Amino acid sequence: MIHPHLPTTESVVGAIRVIADEHRLEVEVTHDIGADRTSRRTSAGAFTVLDPDGSLPHEAYVELGGSPSVTVRVYPEDDAHITVDGVQFDDVPRDHVPAFLRSLYGGLAHVKGRVFPPGWWLVVPLPGDETYKELVPMGALIPWMSARVRSRKN
C-alpha cells in the first residue's frame, strides 16, 4: 500500500494530532529547529542553525497520553522513532507513522510469543503487507500488552 507522503516534520505532527483527536488522547509536542538543536546534528558548531545545504532541520518529539504509552520522535531525515510502552521501533519511515498509530490504537497491534527462542514480540501490522515487529524487553509485558497476547508458537 502506498502511504500518503508527509514531506515535513510539521505534516507528520499534524497527522498525529488528527489521530489523537479521533482517539481522544492528549498530545504534547516539543519542536527542535536548527542544526544546533536537532539530536542527529552533534557535529554542528555552536550557533549553527542551517545545514551545509542551507536547509533548516526540524525535529519533533510527540508524547501521546493514554494507554499504551506512546512517544514519537520525527527526524528531519524522513524517518521516525516510535516507542510503545518501552518497546522501541527505530527507522520507521515518516510516511508510515499515521498508519502505525492507527493500527496501534485500532486494535490490530498484538503480542506474539515463542517458546524457542523464548521471548515476546510486539507486532504492528500496517495495510499492504507491511509489519513492524520488535522484541519486548524481559519483564516489560505490561497489562496493555498482556491483553493483546496471541498464542505462543514453538
Side-chain angles (χ1 to χ4, degrees), residues 40-56:
R40 291 186 177 169
R41 304 295 200 289
T42 55
S43 64
F47 309 110
T48 303
V49 177
L50 300 176
D51 277 345
D53 66 357
S55 65
L56 184 65

Side-chain angles (χ1 to χ4, degrees), residues 1-45:
M1 174 176 188
I2 297 175
H3 300 281
H5 179 58
L6 301 170
T8 65
T9 298
E10 194 58 41
S11 63
V12 178
V13 171
I16 292 171
R17 286 185 190 277
V18 168
I19 293 166
D21 287 345
E22 290 171 1
H23 294 278
R24 295 190 173 109
L25 303 170
E26 291 184 29
V27 179
E28 188 173 320
V29 181
T30 305
H31 295 276
D32 290 321
I33 300 173
D36 60 338
R37 303 272 322 254
T38 58
S39 62
R40 291 186 177 169
R41 304 295 200 289
T42 55
S43 64

Side-chain angles (χ1 to χ4, degrees), residues 75-131:
Y75 296 106
E77 292 86 8
D78 295 334
D79 68 327
H81 173 92
I82 302 173
T83 304
V84 180
D85 278 333
V87 179
Q88 299 179 9
F89 293 84
D90 293 316
D91 302 322
V92 176
R94 76 166 54 169
D95 294 346
H96 294 191
V97 171
F100 187 102
L101 295 176
R102 287 188 194 286
S103 179
L104 188 68
Y105 291 117
L108 296 176
H110 58 277
V111 175
K112 278 190 160 183
R114 292 189 65 110
V115 175
F116 188 79
W120 296 99
W121 282 265
L122 178 56
V123 180
V124 183
L126 273 56
D129 276 346
E130 294 178 77
T131 302

